[in-house]
Amino acid sequence: MKKKKTIISIVGETATGKTEAAFQLAESLIEKKACAGVDIISADSRQVYADIPILSGADVPDGFVKKNLPGYLPFLEKGLVRLHGVGILAASEEWSLGQFQEFALKLIDRSEIKNRSVIIVGGTGLYHTQLFQTEDRLRVPPNTELREKAEELSVEELQVWLSQVDPARFERMNESDRANPRRLVRAIEQGFAKDSEKPDAAKIKSYNHKIIGIRRESSQLQQNIGDRVRRRFENGAIEEVEKLRKEPSLASGIETTLGFENIGNFLDGEITADECVRSWTVNELQYAKRQRTWWRPIDKVEWADDVKALNMYTEPIC
């Protein structure tokens, strides 16, 4: 029986060095000639946007150049390493879990044919845990007309709408989800989807999915986050937000990117530069806490306290 291909996910809180770890592991695989190349897939729902590389923290190493392959979204390449899913969308385009799944699985299937290793890295937990799930509703594409109509409705009206479209789904929702307009709209969207809009789940191949978690001491993580926010604020994030606020419409992923609202308040003169950095830093720390809480109960994660510890995972995925 043919051995299943192993797909590595690198997860953890923001500012723990996940991206650095992914590139280090990729170079190690190439040095050992374990594969014909490495595809790194970004599992970050904000770094997909081309207009916010600084705000979203899309830390791409020097030397990568943009490339195109027929039938695939543009990617970045340096030597035998390719980086996918960074800077591929315009500011008005929406991006969902289902779209990520379809995008990533297509790359993974191709990598198996081409003898390339795959590393998935990023802070959006659902992208990792749901990647190989076969539930049809995950892959329902966004419905622009429905979303425009939903923008005019209150949370209470969205709740009523969902209870009519998919009462069972509404009953299963917890209070937090019922109060979240984005999740209500997505559930309505999925409830309206026709069978023809739901890709065949049977086409999803079976892979060995190994999840590696990178973690840092609390004090070090706080320092990393504070330093990173300050760098972004001083090196282009303000200009990114200023430019985007002139656009007629923005994707929800842009408007909810950490730092966007804080910088907007700064540009409006409501807070000082120092207050902006402090409030943005607090938001990032809260996000890190949510990420930590998200991963804590998932037993499948193998935690590494140091980036170099990832070298031990080179052999199993060759």
Side-chain angles (χ1 to χ4, degrees), residues 52-67:
I52 53 170
I54 299 171
L55 188 69
S56 67
D59 303 319
V60 179
D62 293 337
F64 276 79
V65 295
K66 187 175 181 178
K67 292 290 185 69

Side-chain angles (χ1 to χ4, degrees), residues 24 28 88 98 118 120 125 136 146 212 215 255 291 312:
Q24 178 184 325
S28 181
I88 57 175
V118 175
I120 302 170
D136 283 341
L146 184 149
I212 303 170
R215 57 189 173 192
E255 295 180 308
Q291 288 176 308
M312 74 177 74

